[in-house]
Short mmCIF file of all heavy atoms in Angstrom, two decimals:
data_model
loop_
_atom_site.label_atom_id
_atom_site.label_comp_id
_atom_site.label_asym_id
_atom_site.label_seq_id
_atom_site.Cartn_x
_atom_site.Cartn_y
_atom_site.Cartn_z
N ASP A 1156 -30.84 -35.86 -1.54
CA ASP A 1156 -31.67 -35.60 -0.34
C ASP A 1156 -32.73 -34.54 -0.66
O ASP A 1156 -33.84 -34.60 -0.21
CB ASP A 1156 -30.73 -35.14 0.79
CG ASP A 1156 -31.47 -35.08 2.12
OD1 ASP A 1156 -32.57 -35.64 2.22
OD2 ASP A 1156 -30.90 -34.57 3.12
N GLU A 1160 -36.67 -36.63 -7.05
CA GLU A 1160 -37.01 -37.15 -8.38
C GLU A 1160 -35.79 -37.56 -9.15
O GLU A 1160 -35.87 -38.12 -10.24
CB GLU A 1160 -37.75 -36.07 -9.13
CG GLU A 1160 -36.98 -34.84 -9.60
CD GLU A 1160 -36.75 -33.85 -8.49
OE1 GLU A 1160 -37.12 -34.10 -7.37
OE2 GLU A 1160 -36.17 -32.78 -8.83
N LYS A 1168 -19.72 -54.77 -7.74
CA LYS A 1168 -19.29 -55.98 -7.08
C LYS A 1168 -19.10 -55.74 -5.58
O LYS A 1168 -18.65 -54.67 -5.16
CB LYS A 1168 -17.97 -56.49 -7.64
CG LYS A 1168 -18.01 -56.94 -9.10
CD LYS A 1168 -16.64 -57.33 -9.55
CE LYS A 1168 -16.69 -57.76 -11.07
NZ LYS A 1168 -15.34 -58.17 -11.56
N GLN A 1171 -15.70 -54.58 -4.51
CA GLN A 1171 -15.17 -53.26 -4.94
C GLN A 1171 -15.34 -52.31 -3.78
O GLN A 1171 -15.92 -52.64 -2.73
CB GLN A 1171 -15.98 -52.79 -6.21
CG GLN A 1171 -15.58 -53.57 -7.45
CD GLN A 1171 -16.21 -53.16 -8.71
OE1 GLN A 1171 -17.46 -53.32 -8.86
NE2 GLN A 1171 -15.43 -52.57 -9.62
N PRO A 1211 -9.88 -36.94 2.67
CA PRO A 1211 -10.21 -36.39 4.02
C PRO A 1211 -9.25 -35.32 4.44
O PRO A 1211 -8.14 -35.19 3.98
CB PRO A 1211 -10.16 -37.62 4.92
CG PRO A 1211 -9.06 -38.48 4.26
CD PRO A 1211 -9.29 -38.33 2.79
N ARG A 1218 -7.54 -38.93 13.09
CA ARG A 1218 -8.57 -39.62 13.93
C ARG A 1218 -8.73 -41.04 13.48
O ARG A 1218 -9.42 -41.84 14.14
CB ARG A 1218 -9.88 -38.79 13.81
CG ARG A 1218 -10.90 -39.12 14.92
CD ARG A 1218 -12.11 -38.20 14.85
NE ARG A 1218 -12.84 -38.36 13.68
CZ ARG A 1218 -13.21 -37.31 12.87
NH1 ARG A 1218 -12.83 -36.12 13.20
NH2 ARG A 1218 -13.96 -37.59 11.78
N GLU A 1224 -10.84 -45.65 -0.73
CA GLU A 1224 -10.05 -46.42 -1.61
C GLU A 1224 -9.65 -47.83 -1.01
O GLU A 1224 -9.27 -48.75 -1.73
CB GLU A 1224 -8.81 -45.71 -2.08
CG GLU A 1224 -7.86 -45.26 -1.03
CD GLU A 1224 -8.10 -43.82 -0.53
OE1 GLU A 1224 -9.34 -43.40 -0.60
OE2 GLU A 1224 -7.14 -43.15 -0.18
N LYS A 1225 -9.72 -47.89 0.32
CA LYS A 1225 -9.34 -49.13 1.03
C LYS A 1225 -10.55 -49.87 1.56
O LYS A 1225 -10.36 -51.00 2.06
CB LYS A 1225 -8.35 -48.81 2.11
CG LYS A 1225 -7.08 -48.22 1.66
CD LYS A 1225 -6.08 -47.97 2.76
CE LYS A 1225 -4.78 -47.40 2.31
NZ LYS A 1225 -3.83 -47.09 3.43
N ILE A 1259 -27.48 -59.53 -6.05
CA ILE A 1259 -27.47 -60.54 -7.15
C ILE A 1259 -26.33 -61.46 -6.93
O ILE A 1259 -25.16 -61.00 -6.75
CB ILE A 1259 -27.29 -59.75 -8.51
CG1 ILE A 1259 -28.48 -58.70 -8.60
CG2 ILE A 1259 -27.32 -60.74 -9.72
CD1 ILE A 1259 -28.24 -57.73 -9.78
N GLU A 1267 -18.80 -54.83 -17.31
CA GLU A 1267 -17.68 -54.26 -16.50
C GLU A 1267 -18.28 -53.48 -15.37
O GLU A 1267 -18.95 -52.46 -15.60
CB GLU A 1267 -16.77 -53.41 -17.38
CG GLU A 1267 -15.63 -52.83 -16.62
CD GLU A 1267 -14.71 -52.02 -17.52
OE1 GLU A 1267 -14.91 -52.01 -18.75
OE2 GLU A 1267 -13.80 -51.33 -17.03
N TYR A 1268 -18.06 -53.93 -14.15
CA TYR A 1268 -18.66 -53.27 -13.00
C TYR A 1268 -17.70 -52.25 -12.38
O TYR A 1268 -16.46 -52.38 -12.55
CB TYR A 1268 -18.94 -54.30 -11.93
CG TYR A 1268 -20.01 -55.31 -12.31
CD1 TYR A 1268 -19.62 -56.55 -12.90
CD2 TYR A 1268 -21.38 -55.03 -12.17
CE1 TYR A 1268 -20.57 -57.46 -13.28
CE2 TYR A 1268 -22.37 -55.98 -12.51
CZ TYR A 1268 -21.92 -57.21 -13.13
OH TYR A 1268 -22.88 -58.16 -13.49
N PRO A 1279 -28.92 -31.81 -10.71
CA PRO A 1279 -28.90 -30.30 -10.72
C PRO A 1279 -27.54 -29.79 -11.09
O PRO A 1279 -26.53 -30.43 -10.76
CB PRO A 1279 -29.24 -29.94 -9.23
CG PRO A 1279 -28.98 -31.23 -8.42
CD PRO A 1279 -29.21 -32.36 -9.36
N ASN A 1286 -16.92 -22.15 -12.71
CA ASN A 1286 -17.86 -22.79 -13.66
C ASN A 1286 -18.99 -21.89 -13.84
O ASN A 1286 -20.15 -22.18 -13.57
CB ASN A 1286 -18.34 -24.16 -13.12
CG ASN A 1286 -19.16 -24.90 -14.15
OD1 ASN A 1286 -19.06 -24.66 -15.31
ND2 ASN A 1286 -20.01 -25.80 -13.70
N VAL A 1292 -22.69 -13.86 -18.82
CA VAL A 1292 -21.93 -12.81 -19.40
C VAL A 1292 -22.56 -12.22 -20.62
O VAL A 1292 -22.66 -11.04 -20.86
CB VAL A 1292 -20.52 -13.33 -19.76
CG1 VAL A 1292 -19.72 -12.29 -20.49
CG2 VAL A 1292 -19.83 -13.83 -18.57
N PHE A 1303 -22.52 8.34 -14.15
CA PHE A 1303 -21.90 9.44 -13.38
C PHE A 1303 -21.59 8.97 -11.92
O PHE A 1303 -20.48 9.22 -11.40
CB PHE A 1303 -22.86 10.66 -13.31
CG PHE A 1303 -22.37 11.78 -12.40
CD1 PHE A 1303 -21.34 12.57 -12.80
CD2 PHE A 1303 -22.84 11.92 -11.12
CE1 PHE A 1303 -20.91 13.60 -11.99
CE2 PHE A 1303 -22.45 12.91 -10.30
CZ PHE A 1303 -21.39 13.76 -10.69
N GLU A 1306 -18.68 6.49 -11.88
CA GLU A 1306 -17.43 7.05 -12.21
C GLU A 1306 -16.89 7.99 -11.15
O GLU A 1306 -15.68 8.08 -10.91
CB GLU A 1306 -17.63 7.89 -13.54
CG GLU A 1306 -17.87 7.06 -14.75
CD GLU A 1306 -16.65 6.24 -15.14
OE1 GLU A 1306 -15.55 6.64 -14.77
OE2 GLU A 1306 -16.84 5.23 -15.88
N GLU A 1315 -23.42 16.00 -0.04
CA GLU A 1315 -23.17 17.45 -0.04
C GLU A 1315 -22.58 17.85 -1.37
O GLU A 1315 -22.85 18.91 -1.88
CB GLU A 1315 -22.19 17.76 1.12
CG GLU A 1315 -22.82 17.65 2.49
CD GLU A 1315 -21.92 18.07 3.61
OE1 GLU A 1315 -20.75 18.51 3.26
OE2 GLU A 1315 -22.32 17.98 4.72
N ASP A 1321 -25.37 21.83 -10.31
CA ASP A 1321 -26.53 22.46 -10.97
C ASP A 1321 -26.66 21.81 -12.35
O ASP A 1321 -26.01 20.88 -12.69
CB ASP A 1321 -26.41 23.98 -11.04
CG ASP A 1321 -25.16 24.41 -11.75
OD1 ASP A 1321 -24.61 23.61 -12.52
OD2 ASP A 1321 -24.74 25.54 -11.59
N ALA A 1335 -21.66 32.58 -3.76
CA ALA A 1335 -21.97 33.16 -2.49
C ALA A 1335 -21.95 34.69 -2.50
O ALA A 1335 -22.74 35.37 -1.91
CB ALA A 1335 -20.98 32.60 -1.37
N GLU A 1338 -24.95 35.91 -4.40
CA GLU A 1338 -26.16 35.86 -3.62
C GLU A 1338 -26.15 37.01 -2.55
O GLU A 1338 -27.23 37.59 -2.30
CB GLU A 1338 -26.24 34.54 -2.88
CG GLU A 1338 -26.55 33.38 -3.80
CD GLU A 1338 -26.48 32.05 -3.09
OE1 GLU A 1338 -26.29 32.07 -1.85
OE2 GLU A 1338 -26.62 31.04 -3.73
#
Side-chain angles (χ1 to χ4, degrees):
D1156 192 11
E1160 72 281 4
K1168 295 178 181 179
Q1171 290 182 290
R1218 197 171 65 230
E1224 59 265 33
K1225 296 180 179 179
I1259 303 167
E1267 183 177 350
Y1268 297 94
N1286 188 22
V1292 177
F1303 175 77
E1306 292 290 339
E1315 292 182 1
D1321 59 20
E1338 289 175 4

